[in-house]
Amino acid sequence: MNEHVIVQTISKILIPFIQLYALYVLAHGELGPGGGFQAGAIFGASIVLYVLAFGMKSAKLRFKSKVFDFLTSAGVFIFATVGVLCMIAGGAFLQYSSLPLPTKKLASGIGIYGIEIGVFITVTAVLVTIFFETAEQDDD
Amino acid sequence: MVDIIEIIYLFILIVCSVAAVRMKDLLSSTVVLGAYSLVMAIIWMDLNAVDVAFTEASVGAGITTVLIIAALSRTTRGEYVPGIEERYKTRKARRLKNGALFIVTLCTFGVLVYGTMDMPNFGDPDAPARHHVADRYIEKSHEEVYVENFVTAILASYRGYDTLGETSVIFTAGVALMMLLRRSKS
Amino acid sequence: MIETILGKYNYWIYIALMMIGFYAMVAKENLIKKVIGMSIFQTAVFLFYVSIAKVKGGTAPIEWHHSHLYDNPLPHTLMLTGIVVSVSTTAVALALIIRIYKAYGSIEEDRVLVLEKEGGKGE
């Protein structure tokens, strides 16, 4: 797949901007449209674009499937951990205002960021895993 | 009253969906499905559902299309078309089956349209779905969750359990896929 | 009569879309066509829910000090998660189709059933 020079060059330029945009969407989920699900979908799409432009072999070298296996469960774990931390701090499961921080507003914001990051990691990892597993040609 | 732009978009949706279902070449069918998803995202933008439009444009139009194309590359591209002889032999049975299913579909359509008669009109501010919890979310979320985007407030705080469930569903889908398709090292 | 049509034609178009997807799911033999039908059906349901949230003159559900009429944010939230779940179901369905193709060499439902009856190639 070495002849796709135009596709490869354009993807090389575009991918960092797509990923930066995904992180922007993640960070601004509280103020405008956006959040963990959308950011994860966009970030996953950027990696899918890389695989489409550069081929599965070079993508496999760069993105180890073991890492994504780990991230798949890590996202759910972060989400649940935030909930349990709220319980340890004395509130109900996922009651962010009980987190031991100076103001309730800050506690709520931190809690929401925590679960959004969890959702983001899981969605990204699952979409990339789904694409890798579906697109991989086996030799048999 | 009648929004011409919206009617045009809905018409494009109907055309795309019929084309996606009727085409014999599965690859073209998939690409038309991607166009369908993109028009759907525009309609959601028009209905002020910005978050949903966002997700549909990246997931529905982007990733679903790529996934179906990836699956096509591992199976076959064309829908199976029987030869003339076989087609002639099974013509009667096929017509009977498709006719019966079409009637079933029409009946379902009729029942559902009858069901909409009791519903409030489109955009009615007094619709029951708009009140009860929705009012509370809109009035109180700023004091209780300190978030400007109501959708994020509901997603992350009021219905955090739901979101945890959805995340687990996605996780389960990923694990199911690994179990179905990953080859063991041995 | 005219008022009913003007107030509800949106819903009828959504139901028509849903029925197109439904017909593809029950009548088509090709499994990928069934998945495409399922996708159309799901999006039609999402569209129906989102349209329930719309209020005449309402703005997008993001706080804005000039506006006091917002669209209902609850259906938006539910459909947002629904879309991501729908891509997961599509992916699992496609994975099953790939396995079926590996086992039987066909993705036509009726041929798979015939092969199954004959004992098939199996695995």
Side-chain angles (χ1 to χ4, degrees), chain B:
Chain B
M1 274 271 207
V2 180
D3 192 349
I4 301 291
I5 302 278
E6 205 191 332
I7 290 184
I8 293 172
Y9 281 143
L10 289 172
F11 180 72
I12 296 173
L13 272 191
I14 298 266
V15 171
C16 282
S17 57
V18 170
V21 170
R22 286 204 54 92
M23 275 179 176
K24 291 281 176 223
D25 183 4
L26 291 173
L27 186 60
S28 338
S29 188
T30 311
V31 173
V32 173
L33 187 73
Y36 168 90
S37 288
L38 202 61
V39 176
M40 189 65 102
I42 296 171
I43 290 182
W44 280 334
M45 198 64 226
D46 197 38
L47 290 174
N48 282 342
V50 277
D51 289 88
V52 189
F54 216 140
T55 319
E56 176 71 13
S58 54
V59 170
I63 293 186
T64 308
T65 315
V66 170
L67 281 183
I68 298 181
I69 291 175
L72 284 180
S73 76
R74 285 180 69 171
T75 54
T76 62
R77 179 175 162 178
E79 200 175 354
Y80 173 73
V81 182
I84 294 177
E85 221 162 277
E86 194 186 341
R87 222 184 303 171
Y88 188 76
K89 241 192 282 174
T90 59
R91 189 180 51 170
K92 230 177 187 177
R94 225 157 17 94
R95 273 193 190 161
L96 196 70
K97 186 191 134 204
N98 282 351
L101 288 174
F102 190 72
I103 291 170
V104 168
T105 313
L106 273 187
C107 289
T108 320
F109 179 78
V111 170
L112 289 174
V113 166
Y114 175 72
T116 61
M117 290 304 170
D118 285 341
M119 283 182 60
N121 282 350
F122 178 73
D124 186 357
D126 298 324
R130 231 197 94 60
H131 296 292
H132 309 294
V133 284
D135 279 341
R136 189 202 148 96
Y137 290 151
I138 288 174
E139 279 160 22
K140 289 276 175 71
S141 78
H142 193 72
E143 303 154 32
E144 288 176 350
V145 194
Y146 314 101
V147 163
E148 270 79 28
N149 185 351
F150 300 129
V151 174
T152 306
I154 299 174
L155 187 85
S157 187
Y158 289 111
R159 295 191 171 231
Y161 276 57
D162 276 11
T163 312
L164 180 59
E166 308 279 8
T167 316
S168 322
V169 168
I170 297 162
F171 169 69
T172 315
V175 173
L177 225 96
M178 290 173 201
M179 280 158 65
L180 280 168
L181 293 180
R182 188 166 287 179
R183 275 194 313 164
S184 53
K185 288 250 166 64
S186 59

Side-chain angles (χ1 to χ4, degrees), chain C residues 3 44 71 89:
Chain C
E3 204 176 316
D71 288 342
T89 55

